[in-house]
Structure formats: C-alpha cells, structure tokens
C-alpha cells in the first residue's frame, strides 16, 4: 500500500513516521530528509539545496524527482510511505507516473500550534530523529547531537507556511476527488495520532 502524508510544517509527519516504526514495516521516502542528507555531503548540489531550504523555498522539481527516483528502487515492504512529497499539483501528477497512491493522510493542525511546535523542535544532526527542547538533548536513537533545524527560523517558517497554503493545499482537493483523502486531527498526542493513522491504513 502506497501512502502519502500531507500536513503543514510542524504537524508531526516526521514524528508519526518514527512512531509507526513500532507498529508496521514500511519503506520511507522523506524528501526533506533525503535533501538534508545531500546537504551533509558538502557537494555543490548540497550547497544549492541548503540555500533554498534556509529560506523556506521549495527545491526545484528536477532535483526533488532525481533524489526521489534514486531512492525508490524496489520495495519489498508492505507499505511505502511518502513524507513531504508531493507538495505541489505538478509533483502529484509526477507521482502518478511513478506509482499508485492508495491513501493520502492529511494531518490537520492550525498555524499557531504548528509555529509553537517548530520553535520548540530539536532534530538529530546525524539521523534526523525529531524531538523537542524539553525532552531530548542527545539523540536516543544514535547518540547524535540534537539541534534546532537550520530552517526553523521565523522567516523560513513563514515562507514554508505560505507555500503550504498556496502550493500544497490544492493537492487535498485533487486527492479528495479521487476518494483517497483521509483527515486526522494532528492536535492530539503523538500516540493518538499514530493510532488514528493505524486505524486508517491497516
Ligand atoms: P521537510 O523536512 O519535509 O520539512 P517541513 O515540510 O517543513 O515539515 P517539518 O519537517 O518541519 O514538519 P513535520 O510535519 O515533519 O513535523 P515534526 O514531526 O518534525 O522539508 C524541508 C525543506 O526541504 C522544505 O522547506 C523544502 O525546501 C525542501 N523540500 C522537502 N520536500 C520537498 C518537495 N516535495 N519539493 C520541494 N522541496 C522540498 O514535528 C514538529 C515538532 O512538533 C517536533 O518538535 C515534535 O516533537 C512536535 N510534535 C509532533 N507531533 C506532536 C504532537 N502530536 N503533539 C505535540 N507535539 C508534537
Ligand atoms: Mg518532517
């Protein structure tokens, strides 16, 4: 089953993915994470991606699709999960050429709560584990350093929110018309969000 997670920045897509690991076996395609991994290599492409991410802009389709396809070789897991892709109608149409989309889960959250969460977020520099300032100073997964994400500045967050409204929200109707869109209240505890999603996909 191929599943897409859509939600405003800070709605908990990455957190949900971590929690699902305790319940189901899946292959994950997190475009934001894959792009940040490219940044860590220090390549010219990575430098370009870093600049765009720092300003909260979207990375060009051509780059996103190439990173995506490189990581989308065969999948022998029962679930394939996309976190943060597609983000535009044109990406949704590209995804149709790659695979079927069986369920789209929209994590619904207000901008105010999302902002509060992003400003309190810490992410592991090494493995991408997501937590918050009051919980972890060191990564419980790999012992890596937990730090504020470089694009969690007010300016970049506002730009990301604007892009979410203008570019990503229209995808919801696209998938609703196909009957594959499901909404989950993201203002529940992360365990409750995970259980709601499990009920929808199992
Ligand atoms: P990406 O890495 O995908 O970031 P994002 O879209 O901004 O989303 P976030 O990761 O910020 O939020 P999240 O929903 O995962 O929340 P999280 O679980 O961390 O993309 C980054 C950049 O890469 C983009 O800006 C763009 O430049 C580029 N990019 C990526 N995809 C692209 C694409 N398709 N096309 C073009 N460019 C692309 O949770 C946030 C905080 O809330 C954490 O502290 C967490 O502990 C807390 N939290 C989570 N759930 C709960 C809960 N239920 N209750 C209380 N707190 C919670
Ligand atoms: Mg994320």
């Amino acid at each position: 089953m191929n599943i897409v997670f859509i939600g405003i920045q800070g709605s908990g897509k990455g957190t949900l993915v971590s929690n699902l690991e305790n319940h189901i076996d899946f292959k994950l395609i997190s475009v934001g994470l894959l792009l940040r991994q490219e940044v860590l290599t220090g390549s010219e492409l990575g430098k370009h991606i870093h600049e765009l991410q720092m300003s909260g802009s979207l990375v060009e389709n051509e780059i996103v699709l190439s990173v995506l396809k490189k990581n989308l070789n065969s999948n022998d897991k029962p679930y394939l999960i996309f976190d943060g892709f597609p983000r535009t109608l044109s990406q949704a149409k590209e995804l149709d050429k790659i695979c079927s989309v069986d369920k789209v889960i929209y994590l619904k959250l207000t901008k105010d709560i999302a902002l509060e969460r992003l400003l309190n977020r810490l992410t592991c520099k090494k493995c991408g584990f997501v937590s918050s300032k009051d919980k972890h100073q060191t990564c419980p997964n790999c012992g890596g350093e937990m730090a504020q994400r470089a694009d969690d500045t007010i300016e970049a967050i506002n730009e990301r929110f604007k892009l979410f409204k203008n570019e990503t929200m229209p995808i919801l109707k696209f998938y609703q018309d196909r009957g594959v869109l499901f909404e989950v209240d993201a203002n529940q505890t992360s365990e409750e969000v995970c259980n709601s999603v499990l009920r929808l996909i199992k």
Side-chain angles (χ1 to χ4, degrees):
M1 183 187 284
N2 302 334
I3 303 166
V4 167
F5 290 157
I6 296 182
I8 192 168
Q9 293 73 12
S11 56
K13 303 177 294 293
T15 304
L16 171 63
V17 164
S18 297
N19 288 339
L20 283 175
E21 276 169 5
N22 302 321
H23 301 276
I24 54 170
D25 194 17
F26 60 90
K27 179 180 173 82
L28 171 69
I29 299 288
S30 167
V31 170
L33 197 63
L34 292 171
L35 292 171
R36 279 190 290 281
Q37 281 166 0
E38 183 64 42
V39 172
L40 287 179
T41 67
S43 67
E44 283 307 310
L45 176 62
K47 285 178 193 152
H48 171 72
I49 292 172
H50 185 62
E51 247 175 61
L52 290 171
Q53 286 190 325
M54 290 289 286
S55 64
S57 314
L58 291 177
V59 173
E60 296 91 335
N61 264 356
E62 202 185 35
I63 299 175
V64 167
L65 287 169
S66 125
V67 166
L68 182 91
K69 285 176 184 164
K70 225 191 283 174
N71 286 276
L72 237 190
N73 32 37
S74 64
N75 174 33
D76 54 359
K77 310 275 180 163
Y79 296 94
L80 174 61
I81 294 181
F82 293 91
D83 162 6
F85 183 91
R87 261 173 221 249
T88 62
L89 265 180
S90 99
Q91 288 183 358
K93 288 173 188 163
E94 286 296 334
L95 186 56
D96 278 343
K97 294 182 202 160
I98 298 170
C99 66
S100 64
V101 174
D102 301 308
K103 285 192 178 164
V104 176
I105 312 282
Y106 171 39
L107 297 182
K108 192 174 180 190
L109 191 70
T110 63
K111 219 164 92 170
D112 291 351
I113 301 176
L115 176 65
E116 209 177 288
R117 287 186 185 177
L118 289 176
L119 294 176
N120 191 34
R121 169 167 67 181
L122 288 182
T123 303
C124 175
K125 280 183 162 179
K126 222 161 126 193
C127 74
F129 176 79
V130 175
S131 187
S132 45
K133 288 179 182 163
D134 45 327
K135 284 194 189 146
H136 296 104
Q137 302 303 316
T138 309
C139 177
N141 269 352
C142 71
E145 184 192 343
M146 300 291 291
Q148 185 159 0
R149 227 169 76 180
D151 57 346
D152 280 344
T153 59
I154 288 284
E155 296 75 20
I157 291 170
N158 280 331
E159 179 62 20
R160 281 148 68 205
F161 282 172
K162 199 170 83 195
L163 284 169
F164 181 77
K165 182 166 172 258
N166 297 337
E167 302 287 340
T168 309
M169 288 294 280
I171 305 181
L172 298 180
K173 171 137 187 12
F174 176 82
Y175 286 125
Q176 189 173 34
D177 290 348
R178 286 192 186 177
V180 295
L181 182 73
F182 299 86
E183 197 174 287
V184 166
D185 176 10
N187 192 22
Q188 313 177 75
T189 65
S190 49
E191 290 75 21
E192 284 166 344
V193 171
C194 180
N195 286 333
S196 303
V197 171
L198 283 169
R199 277 195 293 274
L200 288 172
I201 65 179
K202 267 193 160 173

